[in-house]
Amino acid sequence: MGGEGGGDSGDSVIHFVFVHGASHGAWCWYKLTTLLDAAGFKSTTVDLTGAGINLTDSNTVFDPDHYNFPLFSLLSDLPPHHKVILVGHSMGGGSVTAALCKFPDKISMAVYLAAYMVQPGSASSTHNSPMHLGEEDIWEYIYGEGVNETPTGVIMKEQFIRHRYYSQSPLEDVTLASKLLRPAPVRAFLGFDKLSANPAAEKIPRVCIKTAKDNQFSMLRQDRMVENWPPSQVYVLEESDHSPFFSVPTTLFIYLLRAISFLQS
């Protein structure tokens, strides 16, 4: 689990919880959480199972609940009546939706940031996700159970990382990220399409923040997700690549404040 800051756990403090995408970890939010903490908000980042500094081998993570366990544990341990703003990036959107279904009483708003936003019970295809594995040869697969079995892990090939993830981001962030990315658990992601419909999850306000210069999750696919499960608010980061926490952290900070202003009005 990553760092926390900016106030106590009382209900008067707005509390953001950030969920990373495939191959990333709690480390990717460092610019944004610095801004939020300095502004007096509370922020918590989490390493999902096999990501960041979580020591689990991602090739042993086959189930979405196993992958999401650190997030679920965090939410279950929140004090009574304490709610969070849950923010998920890229494939972290699947984790956010799973959390909406399991802990609707702990979440006041869900924010999908260039993220996989699929309605529970819709049985949508992962071909619409930001990590569509069939599009071209940009992925390196790990076959932990043999080459004739479904891959257990996947990571983007090094030569594609800058263009796909960080085309508008500072070079020093690209350099750091390239050393920290870890293989993602393919089989756990396949389970994101199998979430059952949940009326309580549908009542929680959702925000979609799109990324206009995204070479990994095209605007067409982002628009399709908005059309299929319309959120209450939609924003566009016009100058952002797939990783706005690096490329436009200040603008992202401002958009998050706009989004939560609707909860306070």
Side-chain angles (χ1 to χ4, degrees):
M1 191 181 304
E4 299 184 14
D8 57 34
S9 60
D11 291 335
S12 61
V13 177
I14 294 176
H15 184 181
F16 290 89
V17 173
F18 293 95
V19 184
H20 60 80
S23 294
H24 289 68
W27 51 265
C28 70
W29 301 104
Y30 80 96
K31 289 182 175 180
L32 186 58
T33 56
T34 298
L35 292 169
L36 288 166
D37 294 349
F41 298 99
K42 182 179 178 67
S43 65
T44 302
T45 56
V46 61
D47 283 319
L48 299 178
T49 306
I53 61 172
N54 184 292
L55 297 179
T56 304
D57 181 355
S58 61
N59 292 293
T60 66
V61 181
F62 302 144
D63 178 84
D65 282 355
H66 184 195
Y67 180 60
N68 292 324
F69 179 78
L71 173 62
F72 293 167
S73 179
L74 184 157
L75 294 173
S76 66
D77 289 344
L78 290 173
H81 311 298
H82 184 96
K83 294 190 176 186
V84 301
I85 316 284
L86 191 57
V87 183
H89 172 248
S90 195
M91 286 302 291
S95 300
V96 167
T97 300
L100 287 180
C101 293
K102 284 185 176 288
F103 300 95
D105 59 324
K106 295 293 187 180
I107 302 166
S108 58
M109 176 178 279
V111 180
Y112 291 81
L113 176 63
Y116 186 48
M117 184 177 68
V118 175
Q119 184 175 22
S122 66
S124 296
S125 170
T126 48
H127 288 184
N128 290 326
S129 82
M131 194 181 178
H132 177 200
L133 301 181
E135 54 191 2
E136 62 178 87
D137 186 26
I138 64 172
W139 304 106
E140 179 179 338
Y141 295 98
I142 301 169
Y143 294 87
E145 295 190 322
V147 294
N148 295 323
E149 302 296 330
T150 303
T152 53
V154 64
I155 192 167
M156 187 174 288
K157 293 179 179 179
E158 186 175 357
Q159 64 266 36
F160 296 104
I161 287 174
R162 168 106 199 187
H163 176 69
R164 285 287 188 146
Y165 285 155
Y166 315 119
S167 63
Q168 306 299 311
S169 297
L171 182 58
E172 57 266 32
D173 287 323
V174 182
T175 302
L176 177 64
S178 298
K179 297 180 183 301
L180 296 175
L181 294 172
R182 292 179 60 186
V186 175
R187 297 189 191 182
F189 291 159
L190 297 177
F192 285 161
D193 289 334
K194 299 177 176 63
L195 293 170
S196 300
N198 187 321
E202 296 282 351
K203 296 178 181 178
I204 299 170
R206 284 175 296 106
V207 178
C208 176
I209 302 180
K210 299 190 290 185
T211 40
K213 293 186 176 180
D214 195 323
N215 294 326
Q216 176 60 16
F217 193 18
S218 72
M219 282 291 281
L220 177 63
R221 287 160 67 193
Q222 294 182 61
D223 290 342
R224 187 179 300 138
M225 294 216 167
V226 170
E227 292 167 5
N228 290 342
W229 194 26
S232 55
Q233 302 177 60
V234 178
Y235 298 93
V236 180
L237 294 167
E238 297 289 352
E239 300 302 318
S240 180
D241 55 24
H242 189 57
S243 304
F245 40 76
F246 288 158
S247 60
V248 291
T250 303
T251 308
L252 175 56
F253 168 74
I254 292 169
Y255 280 28
L256 286 176
L257 298 193
R258 287 184 191 173
I260 66 172
S261 68
F262 286 82
L263 291 177
Q264 300 169 302
S265 58

